[in-house]
Short mmCIF file of all heavy atoms in Angstrom, two decimals:
data_model
loop_
_atom_site.label_atom_id
_atom_site.label_comp_id
_atom_site.label_asym_id
_atom_site.label_seq_id
_atom_site.Cartn_x
_atom_site.Cartn_y
_atom_site.Cartn_z
N MET A 12 71.20 98.60 98.43
CA MET A 12 71.82 99.89 98.70
C MET A 12 72.91 99.76 99.81
O MET A 12 73.89 100.42 99.81
CB MET A 12 70.78 100.92 98.96
CG MET A 12 71.29 102.32 99.07
SD MET A 12 71.59 102.89 97.41
CE MET A 12 72.07 104.58 97.73
N ASN A 13 72.59 99.03 100.83
CA ASN A 13 73.48 98.88 101.97
C ASN A 13 74.77 98.14 101.54
O ASN A 13 75.84 98.48 102.12
CB ASN A 13 72.88 98.07 103.18
CG ASN A 13 71.82 98.83 103.85
OD1 ASN A 13 71.81 100.16 103.76
ND2 ASN A 13 70.91 98.18 104.47
N THR A 14 74.74 97.25 100.56
CA THR A 14 75.91 96.53 100.08
C THR A 14 76.83 97.51 99.43
O THR A 14 78.09 97.51 99.62
CB THR A 14 75.67 95.42 99.17
OG1 THR A 14 74.64 94.60 99.74
CG2 THR A 14 76.75 94.67 98.72
N ARG A 15 76.40 98.41 98.58
CA ARG A 15 77.18 99.41 98.03
C ARG A 15 77.86 100.37 98.95
O ARG A 15 79.02 100.66 98.88
CB ARG A 15 76.39 100.23 97.00
CG ARG A 15 77.22 101.14 96.17
CD ARG A 15 76.45 101.81 95.07
NE ARG A 15 77.25 102.64 94.30
CZ ARG A 15 76.94 103.47 93.35
NH1 ARG A 15 75.54 103.49 93.03
NH2 ARG A 15 77.75 104.15 92.69
N ASP A 16 77.06 100.82 99.97
CA ASP A 16 77.72 101.80 100.96
C ASP A 16 78.77 101.12 101.70
O ASP A 16 79.84 101.64 102.00
CB ASP A 16 76.63 102.24 101.88
CG ASP A 16 75.55 103.15 101.26
OD1 ASP A 16 75.90 103.67 100.17
OD2 ASP A 16 74.46 103.21 101.78
N SER A 17 78.62 99.81 102.06
CA SER A 17 79.71 99.10 102.85
C SER A 17 80.85 98.83 101.98
O SER A 17 81.99 98.74 102.47
CB SER A 17 79.13 97.84 103.48
OG SER A 17 78.72 96.89 102.50
N SER A 18 80.64 98.51 100.66
CA SER A 18 81.78 98.26 99.79
C SER A 18 82.68 99.49 99.58
O SER A 18 83.87 99.41 99.44
CB SER A 18 81.29 97.69 98.46
OG SER A 18 80.62 98.59 97.77
N ILE A 19 82.03 100.68 99.54
CA ILE A 19 82.75 101.94 99.32
C ILE A 19 83.51 102.19 100.62
O ILE A 19 84.68 102.58 100.56
CB ILE A 19 81.82 103.11 99.00
CG1 ILE A 19 81.29 102.88 97.67
CG2 ILE A 19 82.49 104.46 99.16
CD1 ILE A 19 80.20 103.97 97.24
N THR A 20 83.00 101.95 101.83
CA THR A 20 83.69 102.13 103.00
C THR A 20 84.92 101.17 103.09
O THR A 20 86.00 101.53 103.48
CB THR A 20 82.72 101.87 104.22
OG1 THR A 20 81.65 102.87 104.12
CG2 THR A 20 83.38 102.17 105.53
N TYR A 21 84.64 99.94 102.72
CA TYR A 21 85.66 98.93 102.69
C TYR A 21 86.86 99.28 101.78
O TYR A 21 88.06 99.21 102.17
CB TYR A 21 85.02 97.55 102.22
CG TYR A 21 85.92 96.39 102.49
CD1 TYR A 21 86.00 95.75 103.74
CD2 TYR A 21 86.63 95.77 101.48
CE1 TYR A 21 86.79 94.70 103.92
CE2 TYR A 21 87.44 94.72 101.73
CZ TYR A 21 87.46 94.11 102.87
OH TYR A 21 88.28 93.02 103.12
N LEU A 22 86.53 99.88 100.65
CA LEU A 22 87.60 100.27 99.72
C LEU A 22 88.40 101.51 100.25
O LEU A 22 89.55 101.52 100.20
CB LEU A 22 86.88 100.69 98.41
CG LEU A 22 87.90 101.33 97.38
CD1 LEU A 22 88.87 100.20 96.80
CD2 LEU A 22 87.07 101.95 96.21
N ILE A 23 87.67 102.43 100.87
CA ILE A 23 88.35 103.64 101.44
C ILE A 23 89.27 103.25 102.61
O ILE A 23 90.40 103.73 102.72
CB ILE A 23 87.35 104.68 101.78
CG1 ILE A 23 86.68 105.24 100.54
CG2 ILE A 23 87.92 105.83 102.69
CD1 ILE A 23 85.55 106.22 100.81
N LEU A 24 88.78 102.33 103.48
CA LEU A 24 89.66 101.90 104.61
C LEU A 24 90.82 101.13 104.13
O LEU A 24 91.90 101.16 104.71
CB LEU A 24 88.78 101.10 105.58
CG LEU A 24 87.85 101.90 106.49
CD1 LEU A 24 86.99 100.92 107.27
CD2 LEU A 24 88.63 102.82 107.30
N GLY A 25 90.65 100.33 103.03
CA GLY A 25 91.78 99.62 102.46
C GLY A 25 92.84 100.50 101.89
O GLY A 25 94.03 100.28 102.09
N ILE A 26 92.41 101.53 101.24
CA ILE A 26 93.31 102.51 100.66
C ILE A 26 94.05 103.25 101.75
O ILE A 26 95.24 103.51 101.75
CB ILE A 26 92.66 103.46 99.66
CG1 ILE A 26 92.20 102.75 98.47
CG2 ILE A 26 93.55 104.63 99.32
CD1 ILE A 26 91.34 103.45 97.54
N TYR A 27 93.34 103.61 102.79
CA TYR A 27 93.87 104.26 104.01
C TYR A 27 95.01 103.37 104.66
O TYR A 27 96.08 103.86 104.98
CB TYR A 27 92.84 104.59 104.98
CG TYR A 27 93.31 105.36 106.11
CD1 TYR A 27 93.73 106.66 106.06
CD2 TYR A 27 93.25 104.78 107.43
CE1 TYR A 27 94.11 107.36 107.09
CE2 TYR A 27 93.65 105.54 108.59
CZ TYR A 27 94.11 106.78 108.40
OH TYR A 27 94.52 107.50 109.46
N ALA A 28 94.71 102.10 104.78
CA ALA A 28 95.66 101.15 105.33
C ALA A 28 97.00 101.12 104.51
O ALA A 28 98.11 101.05 104.97
CB ALA A 28 95.09 99.76 105.44
N LEU A 29 96.80 101.11 103.16
CA LEU A 29 97.96 101.10 102.31
C LEU A 29 98.82 102.37 102.38
O LEU A 29 100.01 102.35 102.32
CB LEU A 29 97.57 100.84 100.87
CG LEU A 29 96.95 99.51 100.51
CD1 LEU A 29 96.47 99.45 99.16
CD2 LEU A 29 97.84 98.46 100.91
N MET A 30 98.09 103.54 102.57
CA MET A 30 98.81 104.78 102.75
C MET A 30 99.57 104.78 104.05
O MET A 30 100.77 105.29 104.07
CB MET A 30 97.79 105.93 102.71
CG MET A 30 97.15 106.13 101.40
SD MET A 30 95.69 107.31 101.45
CE MET A 30 96.62 108.86 101.75
N ILE A 31 98.98 104.20 105.13
CA ILE A 31 99.75 104.17 106.38
C ILE A 31 100.96 103.30 106.23
O ILE A 31 102.06 103.58 106.67
CB ILE A 31 98.80 103.62 107.45
CG1 ILE A 31 97.71 104.59 107.76
CG2 ILE A 31 99.57 103.33 108.70
CD1 ILE A 31 96.63 104.11 108.59
N ASN A 32 100.73 102.13 105.52
CA ASN A 32 101.88 101.27 105.38
C ASN A 32 103.04 101.87 104.53
O ASN A 32 104.25 101.70 104.93
CB ASN A 32 101.42 99.90 104.68
CG ASN A 32 102.48 98.83 104.61
OD1 ASN A 32 103.74 99.17 104.47
ND2 ASN A 32 102.04 97.62 104.75
N TRP A 33 102.73 102.49 103.46
CA TRP A 33 103.79 103.12 102.67
C TRP A 33 104.44 104.24 103.41
O TRP A 33 105.67 104.54 103.26
CB TRP A 33 103.18 103.58 101.38
CG TRP A 33 104.28 104.12 100.44
CD1 TRP A 33 104.57 105.38 100.16
CD2 TRP A 33 105.16 103.23 99.69
NE1 TRP A 33 105.64 105.36 99.26
CE2 TRP A 33 106.00 104.16 98.98
CE3 TRP A 33 105.36 101.95 99.59
CZ2 TRP A 33 106.99 103.68 98.18
CZ3 TRP A 33 106.34 101.47 98.73
CH2 TRP A 33 107.19 102.33 98.04
N TYR A 34 103.70 105.00 104.27
CA TYR A 34 104.33 106.04 105.09
C TYR A 34 105.39 105.57 106.00
O TYR A 34 106.42 106.19 106.13
CB TYR A 34 103.15 106.79 105.82
CG TYR A 34 103.63 107.94 106.62
CD1 TYR A 34 103.77 109.24 105.99
CD2 TYR A 34 103.93 107.87 108.03
CE1 TYR A 34 104.24 110.38 106.76
CE2 TYR A 34 104.39 108.96 108.70
CZ TYR A 34 104.45 110.24 108.08
OH TYR A 34 104.91 111.34 108.81
N TYR A 35 105.12 104.40 106.62
CA TYR A 35 106.08 103.88 107.59
C TYR A 35 107.02 102.96 107.08
O TYR A 35 108.24 102.90 107.54
CB TYR A 35 105.37 103.09 108.74
CG TYR A 35 104.64 104.09 109.67
CD1 TYR A 35 103.28 104.06 109.89
CD2 TYR A 35 105.37 105.01 110.44
CE1 TYR A 35 102.64 104.86 110.69
CE2 TYR A 35 104.74 105.85 111.36
CZ TYR A 35 103.35 105.82 111.52
OH TYR A 35 102.75 106.60 112.37
N ASN A 36 106.87 102.27 105.89
CA ASN A 36 107.76 101.24 105.52
C ASN A 36 108.47 101.52 104.15
O ASN A 36 109.63 101.13 104.13
CB ASN A 36 106.99 99.89 105.34
CG ASN A 36 106.46 99.35 106.71
OD1 ASN A 36 107.12 99.49 107.68
ND2 ASN A 36 105.23 98.81 106.68
N HIS A 37 107.87 102.02 103.23
CA HIS A 37 108.42 102.29 101.89
C HIS A 37 108.95 101.00 101.30
O HIS A 37 110.05 100.94 100.74
CB HIS A 37 109.51 103.38 101.89
CG HIS A 37 108.99 104.75 102.18
ND1 HIS A 37 108.32 105.46 101.33
CD2 HIS A 37 109.13 105.48 103.39
CE1 HIS A 37 108.03 106.62 101.84
NE2 HIS A 37 108.49 106.65 103.09
N SER A 38 108.18 99.85 101.48
CA SER A 38 108.64 98.66 100.92
C SER A 38 107.43 98.06 100.13
O SER A 38 106.35 97.98 100.57
CB SER A 38 108.91 97.62 102.04
OG SER A 38 109.05 96.33 101.55
N VAL A 39 107.74 97.60 98.92
CA VAL A 39 106.71 97.03 98.03
C VAL A 39 106.20 95.72 98.56
O VAL A 39 105.01 95.45 98.51
CB VAL A 39 107.22 96.81 96.61
CG1 VAL A 39 106.18 96.18 95.74
CG2 VAL A 39 107.59 98.24 96.03
N ILE A 40 107.05 94.98 99.15
CA ILE A 40 106.69 93.63 99.77
C ILE A 40 105.73 93.82 100.91
O ILE A 40 104.73 93.18 101.01
CB ILE A 40 107.91 92.84 100.13
CG1 ILE A 40 108.71 92.49 98.92
CG2 ILE A 40 107.49 91.51 100.93
CD1 ILE A 40 110.07 91.84 99.18
N MET A 41 106.09 94.76 101.79
CA MET A 41 105.12 95.03 102.81
C MET A 41 103.87 95.65 102.39
O MET A 41 102.79 95.35 102.94
CB MET A 41 105.75 96.04 103.86
CG MET A 41 106.92 95.39 104.64
SD MET A 41 106.41 94.05 105.74
CE MET A 41 105.41 94.88 106.88
N LEU A 42 103.89 96.37 101.33
CA LEU A 42 102.59 96.94 100.72
C LEU A 42 101.75 95.87 100.22
O LEU A 42 100.54 95.94 100.44
CB LEU A 42 102.97 97.99 99.60
CG LEU A 42 101.81 98.84 99.10
CD1 LEU A 42 101.45 99.84 100.28
CD2 LEU A 42 102.27 99.57 97.86
N ILE A 43 102.28 94.94 99.58
CA ILE A 43 101.53 93.74 99.10
C ILE A 43 100.92 92.94 100.25
O ILE A 43 99.74 92.59 100.15
CB ILE A 43 102.39 92.83 98.18
CG1 ILE A 43 102.78 93.58 96.89
CG2 ILE A 43 101.67 91.59 97.91
CD1 ILE A 43 103.78 92.89 96.00
N LEU A 44 101.63 92.71 101.21
CA LEU A 44 101.18 92.01 102.46
C LEU A 44 100.06 92.84 103.09
O LEU A 44 99.07 92.28 103.54
CB LEU A 44 102.33 91.69 103.43
CG LEU A 44 103.27 90.61 103.03
CD1 LEU A 44 104.33 90.49 104.00
CD2 LEU A 44 102.48 89.30 102.91
N ALA A 45 100.24 94.17 103.25
CA ALA A 45 99.20 95.00 103.83
C ALA A 45 97.97 94.98 102.93
O ALA A 45 96.85 95.11 103.45
CB ALA A 45 99.73 96.40 104.04
N TYR A 46 98.08 94.94 101.64
CA TYR A 46 97.00 94.86 100.76
C TYR A 46 96.18 93.54 100.96
O TYR A 46 94.95 93.59 100.89
CB TYR A 46 97.45 94.86 99.25
CG TYR A 46 96.33 94.74 98.26
CD1 TYR A 46 95.41 95.70 98.03
CD2 TYR A 46 96.22 93.59 97.49
CE1 TYR A 46 94.34 95.58 97.17
CE2 TYR A 46 95.23 93.42 96.63
CZ TYR A 46 94.27 94.42 96.42
OH TYR A 46 93.31 94.24 95.50
N ILE A 47 96.81 92.49 101.18
CA ILE A 47 96.14 91.11 101.41
C ILE A 47 95.51 91.16 102.78
O ILE A 47 94.35 90.70 102.93
CB ILE A 47 97.15 90.02 101.24
CG1 ILE A 47 97.66 89.99 99.83
CG2 ILE A 47 96.53 88.71 101.65
CD1 ILE A 47 98.88 89.04 99.61
N PHE A 48 96.23 91.58 103.84
CA PHE A 48 95.73 91.47 105.16
C PHE A 48 95.41 92.83 105.76
O PHE A 48 95.65 93.06 106.94
CB PHE A 48 96.78 90.85 106.02
CG PHE A 48 97.09 89.43 105.60
CD1 PHE A 48 98.39 89.19 105.05
CD2 PHE A 48 96.24 88.41 105.65
CE1 PHE A 48 98.73 87.96 104.60
CE2 PHE A 48 96.57 87.15 105.28
CZ PHE A 48 97.84 86.91 104.66
N TRP A 49 94.89 93.81 104.95
CA TRP A 49 94.72 95.17 105.41
C TRP A 49 93.81 95.35 106.67
O TRP A 49 94.14 96.20 107.47
CB TRP A 49 94.33 96.15 104.37
CG TRP A 49 92.94 96.09 103.88
CD1 TRP A 49 92.43 95.45 102.78
CD2 TRP A 49 91.82 96.72 104.58
NE1 TRP A 49 91.07 95.61 102.78
CE2 TRP A 49 90.69 96.39 103.83
CE3 TRP A 49 91.64 97.55 105.66
CZ2 TRP A 49 89.44 96.86 104.08
CZ3 TRP A 49 90.39 97.92 106.04
CH2 TRP A 49 89.25 97.60 105.25
N PRO A 50 92.80 94.58 106.87
CA PRO A 50 91.96 94.78 108.09
C PRO A 50 92.76 94.45 109.41
O PRO A 50 92.77 95.24 110.36
CB PRO A 50 90.78 93.84 107.96
CG PRO A 50 90.62 93.57 106.51
CD PRO A 50 92.04 93.62 105.96
N LEU A 51 93.58 93.39 109.26
CA LEU A 51 94.47 93.13 110.47
C LEU A 51 95.57 94.05 110.61
O LEU A 51 95.88 94.49 111.76
CB LEU A 51 95.02 91.64 110.31
CG LEU A 51 94.05 90.51 110.18
CD1 LEU A 51 94.78 89.24 109.85
CD2 LEU A 51 93.35 90.48 111.48
N TYR A 52 96.15 94.64 109.51
CA TYR A 52 97.12 95.59 109.65
C TYR A 52 96.62 96.92 110.21
O TYR A 52 97.30 97.57 111.03
CB TYR A 52 97.71 95.83 108.23
CG TYR A 52 98.85 96.88 108.26
CD1 TYR A 52 100.08 96.61 108.68
CD2 TYR A 52 98.58 98.18 107.79
CE1 TYR A 52 101.09 97.55 108.69
CE2 TYR A 52 99.59 99.13 107.84
CZ TYR A 52 100.80 98.80 108.28
OH TYR A 52 101.84 99.75 108.34
N LEU A 53 95.44 97.30 109.80
CA LEU A 53 94.84 98.50 110.35
C LEU A 53 94.57 98.41 111.91
O LEU A 53 94.84 99.36 112.60
CB LEU A 53 93.60 98.86 109.56
CG LEU A 53 92.95 100.29 109.77
CD1 LEU A 53 94.02 101.31 109.38
CD2 LEU A 53 91.78 100.45 108.90
N ILE A 54 94.14 97.34 112.24
CA ILE A 54 93.83 97.03 113.70
C ILE A 54 95.18 97.02 114.44
O ILE A 54 95.31 97.62 115.53
CB ILE A 54 93.15 95.74 113.89
CG1 ILE A 54 91.68 95.85 113.42
CG2 ILE A 54 93.10 95.31 115.36
CD1 ILE A 54 90.92 94.53 113.37
N TYR A 55 96.22 96.39 113.86
CA TYR A 55 97.53 96.40 114.46
C TYR A 55 98.08 97.85 114.66
O TYR A 55 98.63 98.15 115.74
CB TYR A 55 98.51 95.59 113.62
CG TYR A 55 99.99 95.75 113.97
CD1 TYR A 55 100.45 95.08 115.11
CD2 TYR A 55 100.78 96.57 113.23
CE1 TYR A 55 101.80 95.24 115.49
CE2 TYR A 55 102.15 96.71 113.58
CZ TYR A 55 102.66 96.06 114.61
OH TYR A 55 104.00 96.18 114.99
N GLU A 56 97.96 98.69 113.66
CA GLU A 56 98.37 99.97 113.70
C GLU A 56 97.66 100.79 114.73
O GLU A 56 98.22 101.70 115.49
CB GLU A 56 98.28 100.79 112.33
CG GLU A 56 99.32 100.22 111.37
CD GLU A 56 100.77 100.54 111.60
OE1 GLU A 56 101.02 101.56 112.27
OE2 GLU A 56 101.60 99.69 111.32
N LEU A 57 96.40 100.62 114.90
CA LEU A 57 95.61 101.31 115.91
C LEU A 57 96.02 100.84 117.30
O LEU A 57 96.18 101.69 118.19
CB LEU A 57 94.12 100.97 115.74
CG LEU A 57 93.46 101.72 114.52
CD1 LEU A 57 92.03 101.12 114.36
CD2 LEU A 57 93.37 103.15 114.85
N LEU A 58 96.30 99.57 117.47
CA LEU A 58 96.57 98.99 118.83
C LEU A 58 98.10 99.43 119.19
O LEU A 58 98.30 99.56 120.41
CB LEU A 58 96.41 97.51 118.86
CG LEU A 58 95.04 97.11 118.87
CD1 LEU A 58 94.97 95.51 118.76
CD2 LEU A 58 94.23 97.52 120.00
N THR A 59 98.97 99.52 118.31
CA THR A 59 100.33 99.88 118.61
C THR A 59 100.51 101.26 118.84
O THR A 59 101.57 101.83 119.29
CB THR A 59 101.35 99.38 117.59
OG1 THR A 59 100.99 99.89 116.29
CG2 THR A 59 101.35 97.83 117.56
N GLY A 60 99.57 102.19 118.46
CA GLY A 60 99.69 103.65 118.67
C GLY A 60 100.31 104.39 117.57
O GLY A 60 100.59 105.59 117.76
N HIS A 61 100.54 103.83 116.42
CA HIS A 61 101.09 104.57 115.28
C HIS A 61 100.18 105.62 114.73
O HIS A 61 100.64 106.50 113.96
CB HIS A 61 101.46 103.65 114.19
CG HIS A 61 102.78 102.87 114.44
ND1 HIS A 61 103.05 101.64 113.92
CD2 HIS A 61 103.81 103.19 115.23
CE1 HIS A 61 104.14 101.15 114.37
NE2 HIS A 61 104.67 102.04 115.22
N LEU A 62 98.90 105.60 115.05
CA LEU A 62 97.98 106.50 114.59
C LEU A 62 97.56 107.55 115.66
O LEU A 62 96.56 108.33 115.44
CB LEU A 62 96.77 105.87 114.00
CG LEU A 62 97.04 104.93 112.81
CD1 LEU A 62 95.76 104.30 112.31
CD2 LEU A 62 97.62 105.70 111.67
N SER A 63 98.24 107.50 116.79
CA SER A 63 97.87 108.49 117.87
C SER A 63 98.51 109.82 117.65
O SER A 63 99.35 109.99 116.72
CB SER A 63 98.27 107.85 119.20
OG SER A 63 99.67 107.73 119.23
N HIS A 64 98.16 110.75 118.42
CA HIS A 64 98.70 112.13 118.45
C HIS A 64 98.46 112.80 117.04
O HIS A 64 99.37 113.49 116.53
CB HIS A 64 100.17 112.20 118.74
CG HIS A 64 100.49 111.56 120.12
ND1 HIS A 64 100.01 112.13 121.27
CD2 HIS A 64 101.11 110.44 120.42
CE1 HIS A 64 100.35 111.38 122.33
NE2 HIS A 64 101.06 110.34 121.87
N GLY A 65 97.42 112.59 116.43
CA GLY A 65 97.01 113.19 115.14
C GLY A 65 97.61 112.59 113.89
O GLY A 65 97.48 113.13 112.80
N MET A 66 98.35 111.53 114.05
CA MET A 66 99.00 110.88 112.86
C MET A 66 97.94 110.31 111.91
O MET A 66 98.22 110.16 110.73
CB MET A 66 100.02 109.76 113.28
CG MET A 66 101.25 110.29 113.91
SD MET A 66 102.17 111.43 112.86
CE MET A 66 102.77 110.36 111.55
N TRP A 67 96.77 109.97 112.32
CA TRP A 67 95.73 109.43 111.55
C TRP A 67 95.27 110.46 110.45
O TRP A 67 94.80 110.05 109.43
CB TRP A 67 94.54 108.97 112.35
CG TRP A 67 93.85 110.11 113.08
CD1 TRP A 67 94.14 110.60 114.33
CD2 TRP A 67 92.73 110.89 112.59
NE1 TRP A 67 93.28 111.64 114.61
CE2 TRP A 67 92.44 111.82 113.60
CE3 TRP A 67 92.07 110.90 111.42
CZ2 TRP A 67 91.37 112.79 113.43
CZ3 TRP A 67 91.01 111.84 111.25
CH2 TRP A 67 90.72 112.77 112.23
N LYS A 68 95.52 111.78 110.78
CA LYS A 68 95.22 112.69 109.68
C LYS A 68 96.42 113.36 109.00
O LYS A 68 96.38 113.89 107.98
CB LYS A 68 94.28 113.80 110.25
CG LYS A 68 94.78 114.56 111.37
CD LYS A 68 93.75 115.56 111.87
CE LYS A 68 94.21 116.22 113.13
NZ LYS A 68 93.23 117.14 113.75
N ILE A 69 97.56 113.27 109.62
CA ILE A 69 98.81 113.78 109.02
C ILE A 69 99.30 112.88 107.94
O ILE A 69 99.76 113.42 106.92
CB ILE A 69 99.85 113.96 110.19
CG1 ILE A 69 99.54 114.98 111.19
CG2 ILE A 69 101.27 114.14 109.57
CD1 ILE A 69 100.41 115.11 112.37
N ILE A 70 99.16 111.59 108.13
CA ILE A 70 99.63 110.62 107.05
C ILE A 70 98.91 110.87 105.72
O ILE A 70 99.51 110.99 104.73
CB ILE A 70 99.46 109.25 107.61
CG1 ILE A 70 100.49 108.90 108.70
CG2 ILE A 70 99.74 108.21 106.47
CD1 ILE A 70 100.33 107.59 109.41
N PRO A 71 97.58 110.88 105.68
CA PRO A 71 96.93 111.11 104.37
C PRO A 71 97.19 112.52 103.79
O PRO A 71 97.40 112.72 102.54
CB PRO A 71 95.45 110.98 104.70
CG PRO A 71 95.37 110.28 105.87
CD PRO A 71 96.59 110.56 106.68
N LEU A 72 97.41 113.49 104.58
CA LEU A 72 97.67 114.88 104.07
C LEU A 72 99.08 114.93 103.59
O LEU A 72 99.34 115.80 102.66
CB LEU A 72 97.53 115.93 105.22
CG LEU A 72 96.11 116.21 105.66
CD1 LEU A 72 96.05 117.05 106.87
CD2 LEU A 72 95.33 116.76 104.49
N SER A 73 100.02 114.12 104.01
CA SER A 73 101.31 114.12 103.54
C SER A 73 101.47 113.72 102.06
O SER A 73 102.42 114.04 101.36
CB SER A 73 102.29 113.22 104.32
OG SER A 73 101.99 111.86 104.15
N TYR A 74 100.49 112.93 101.60
CA TYR A 74 100.50 112.60 100.21
C TYR A 74 100.03 113.63 99.26
O TYR A 74 100.28 113.60 98.04
CB TYR A 74 99.62 111.28 99.97
CG TYR A 74 100.24 110.07 100.56
CD1 TYR A 74 99.82 109.55 101.78
CD2 TYR A 74 101.24 109.43 99.89
CE1 TYR A 74 100.33 108.58 102.36
CE2 TYR A 74 101.79 108.33 100.42
CZ TYR A 74 101.38 107.84 101.62
OH TYR A 74 101.96 106.73 102.22
N PHE A 75 99.27 114.65 99.76
CA PHE A 75 98.71 115.70 99.00
C PHE A 75 99.37 117.05 99.17
O PHE A 75 99.03 117.99 98.52
CB PHE A 75 97.22 115.86 99.33
CG PHE A 75 96.52 114.68 99.02
CD1 PHE A 75 95.99 113.86 100.07
CD2 PHE A 75 96.26 114.23 97.77
CE1 PHE A 75 95.20 112.68 99.82
CE2 PHE A 75 95.50 113.07 97.50
CZ PHE A 75 95.01 112.31 98.56
N ASN A 76 100.47 117.06 99.92
CA ASN A 76 101.25 118.33 100.12
C ASN A 76 102.51 118.32 99.22
O ASN A 76 103.13 117.42 98.86
CB ASN A 76 101.71 118.50 101.57
CG ASN A 76 100.50 118.90 102.38
OD1 ASN A 76 99.60 119.47 101.95
ND2 ASN A 76 100.60 118.64 103.65
#
C-alpha cells in the first residue's frame, strides 16, 4: 500500500514540475528535459525563488482559468 501512495505522489509532483516548466519556458525541448530530470528541476525552482510569493498556487490555477 505504501508503494502505491508514494507512486501517486511522485506522479503528481512530476506533473506539477512540468506545469511550472511550461509556464516559464514554453519550449518543448525544455519540457522534455524537465520530464527526464524533474526532481532536480523542482528543487532548482524552489531554490531560485520562482515559486515564492504565491506562485506555487498561481501557476496551476492559470491552466484551469
Side-chain angles (χ1 to χ4, degrees):
M12 190 73 174
N13 289 337
T14 305
R15 184 174 182 186
D16 293 339
S17 64
S18 65
I19 290 172
T20 305
Y21 193 80
L22 174 70
I23 291 172
L24 285 174
I26 292 170
Y27 184 67
L29 295 178
M30 291 171 72
I31 293 168
N32 187 325
W33 187 256
Y34 183 83
Y35 285 119
N36 297 318
H37 293 288
S38 169
V39 175
I40 295 171
M41 289 297 294
L42 192 68
I43 292 170
L44 287 174
Y46 175 72
I47 295 170
F48 301 110
W49 75 261
L51 296 175
Y52 180 75
L53 194 57
I54 291 170
Y55 168 77
E56 290 294 325
L57 286 169
L58 291 176
T59 57
H61 286 151
L62 299 178
S63 61
H64 303 294
M66 288 303 288
W67 64 272
K68 58 184 172 183
I69 292 172
I70 292 172
L72 289 176
S73 70
Y74 290 101
F75 299 108
N76 288 336

